Amino acid sequence: MKGVLSRIGIGSATVDTILPTDTVRAGDSVQAEVHVEGGSTDQEIDAVYFALETEYKSDEGYKDAIVDQWQLTEPFTIEAGEKRRFETTIDIPRETPVTTRSTAVEIETGLDISMAIDPGDEDYIEVEPTHRTQAVFDALDSLGFSLHSSSCEASAGSLFTTSATFVQEFEFRPERGEFTGQVDEVGLVPVFDDDRLTLYLEVDRSAGLLSEVTDADERHTTLPIDDSDPEAIEPRLEARIRELS
């Protein structure tokens, strides 16, 4: 009877991932401990696995997305009441979304058990931008722009050179400086390809009601980012925004 109950999750083994911090930077790694505790009966564990998850907006509504997933262990048996501990390194991909009020990221740890409900553990983490993306944000701040909103959305294959199913867009508005009154908004999408970062940049101009209605006030461009120095990025970003405003 205990075996039957464990297959439906009652008295089954449990898993818990312990992170040293809940704040990580995209592109970095974090050490973690995984604790597995046996339930009321012996169980065959096919694998301990991880999934890095978020969600994005599509035409059909919000969808779950797996940023990355990987397996920690080979099959093993966990005896009733037994406790096991595994140490591992979790790599946070560069394309992991930056967490904001509207974007959440979690690490899901699961036990793969055949013919049974997989026990799991969920840990929400705060993801900071990569160093190069942060340098872009710092350059925009120097130009007088402040982050207004951010969202993950289904990628438009005709626009973005990426195989990802979604991208994260950041929208900045001018609060001071020369672009106040000239630009309504600057939208940017960072896309990583190998070791390169490409910004897909959209400038929404303050061009009057007719242009707003027809979307003629929006212009697009791309900008490769090869370093993490805000002072080097700022004049290039300023020139592109000026060209499109």
Side-chain angles (χ1 to χ4, degrees), residues 111-144:
L111 301 180
D112 186 6
I113 304 176
S114 298
M115 306 297 292
I117 297 174
D118 287 355
D121 175 47
E122 296 179 350
D123 295 279
Y124 284 90
I125 58 174
E126 297 292 325
V127 180
E128 298 177 342
T130 67
H131 291 291
R132 274 184 286 181
T133 305
Q134 183 62 59
V136 172
F137 293 169
D138 292 342
L140 282 168
D141 180 71
S142 295
L143 292 172

Side-chain angles (χ1 to χ4, degrees), residues 11-25:
S12 178
T14 59
V15 62
D16 183 29
T17 295
I18 309 299
L19 300 171
T21 176
D22 59 2
T23 300
V24 299
R25 184 177 298 277

